[in-house]
Amino acid sequence: MTKAAELAKMGEVLTNSQIGGRRNMVINGAMQVAQRGTSETGVGASAGYFTVDRFDMYFSGTAGRLTQSQVAITDLPGFANALKLDCTTADTSIAAGEEALLQYHFEGQDVQKLKKGTSEAEKVTVSFYVKGNASATYTSQLYDNDNNRINSQTFDVTTSWNRVILTFDGDTSGALDDDNGWSFSFLIYLQAGSTFTSGTFSSNTWADRNNSITVKSDQTMFFDSTDRELFITGLQIETGSQATPFEHRSFGEELALCQRYYSREEAATGAAYKRYGTGSWSSTTVFELLIPLSTPLRTSPTLETTGTASNYAVYSANAIDACTALTITNDADAGTNNRAVAMYGNTSSGGVTGEGGTFLANSDTDNFLALDAEL
């Protein structure tokens, strides 16, 4: 690169505010937070979030299965954790409509800086560190969910850590909604059938979504062998054409950012049972527990529990009453903007209206409650 080109590049970085302030649009890019747990086996039968926060997986029609894990690493300076995908069941008879993807989703209000759909649309640079058990090539993609538009590029994996840097052109078509809904995504296609590979692949070109041009036909299929592994960490997405050094944030900050989408509470250890907090009986069969939220949720959540309602109970008046149902609702009296929820534990009997009590796990075993507001 000539000196003039270097100066021009430096000017672009400064113009796009890539030095100073928050550059990385990704939450938990260093794979530090894993509220759901550090390992999940048999992944592939259904879509969802499994271990590392904010990283979703989507599957359709695949017989392949994998183990997803948050793993400790010592061979990449500056990073202590990675997301590992390990093929445990191969699928080499690939159906036409088969898909397997690793995904990261953005709210529309968080990607307005891309200026998408305007004449000043910004370039977007994606960078991340990857390695595998063997050489491989996968397809990555920026996806505009509001306007159903895509831009794809491939990247290579080796057996050593390598920083992938991909710069995507700005898109002058299709503005992104300015709200808390799903507007934009970064995707990695791990496996894809002919429905997605049969067309002419055009790298770094925005287009209306057409399944046939989504994935490059000669890419590696992750479920080709039970030897197949993929490690990824240090995901950074920023405006402009320059990949800047990864922006590290503290664990506490990353956890708080993740809790906008998923907040999990483990029961505190008691003498015999584990307790969540105190509340009161709103009727003889309904116990109400107010759950204040340190981080406002993205939207009204769904409740995730260990198992059946009877795994939870209410202790009051020296008696324990098992729950028969659990429900939650945003509590208008406690605050606005999803800053608190009220949980209701139904029991068969035992309560005295207005009397206080403690909500707890109905045994001295591992137990949790979680609020899910993911995209």
Side-chain angles (χ1 to χ4, degrees), residues 139-151:
T139 302
S140 67
Q141 182 182 100
L142 296 184
Y143 174 57
D144 170 0
N145 184 56
D146 290 331
N147 303 286
N148 202 28
R149 289 176 61 76
I150 62 173
N151 187 339

Side-chain angles (χ1 to χ4, degrees), residues 40 57 63 66 79 103 117 142 157 173 175 184 187 218 222 235 238 243 274 285 313 316 351 371:
E40 183 74 16
M57 296 207 74
L66 59 83
F79 294 91
Q103 309 181 116
L142 296 184
V157 178
S173 297
F184 200 69
L187 317 175
D218 60 351
F222 181 81
L235 176 63
E238 54 194 316
K274 296 182 178 180
T285 59
S316 65
L371 301 173

Side-chain angles (χ1 to χ4, degrees), residues 3 8 25 28 44 58 81-82 129 147 150 163 180 201 239 249 256 268 272 274 326 329 352 357:
K3 191 65 176 178
M25 298 165 61
N28 202 30
Y58 177 79
N81 298 285
Y129 294 87
N147 303 286
I150 62 173
R163 192 184 194 196
N180 66 345
F201 181 85
T239 57
R249 294 192 281 261
K274 296 182 178 180
L326 295 175
T329 181
V352 176

Side-chain angles (χ1 to χ4, degrees), residues 2 47 97 141 155 232:
T2 65
Q141 182 182 100
F155 65 91
I232 182 170

Side-chain angles (χ1 to χ4, degrees), residues 76 128-131 156-158 160-165 233:
L76 181 62
F128 51 92
Y129 294 87
V130 288
K131 75 171 183 177
D156 295 326
V157 178
T158 69
S160 299
W161 284 110
N162 175 54
R163 192 184 194 196
V164 173
I165 298 175
T233 193

Side-chain angles (χ1 to χ4, degrees), residues 56 62 66 72 100 117 159 217-218 275 309:
D56 175 30
T62 181
L66 59 83
T159 56
S217 60
D218 60 351
R275 60 189 183 276

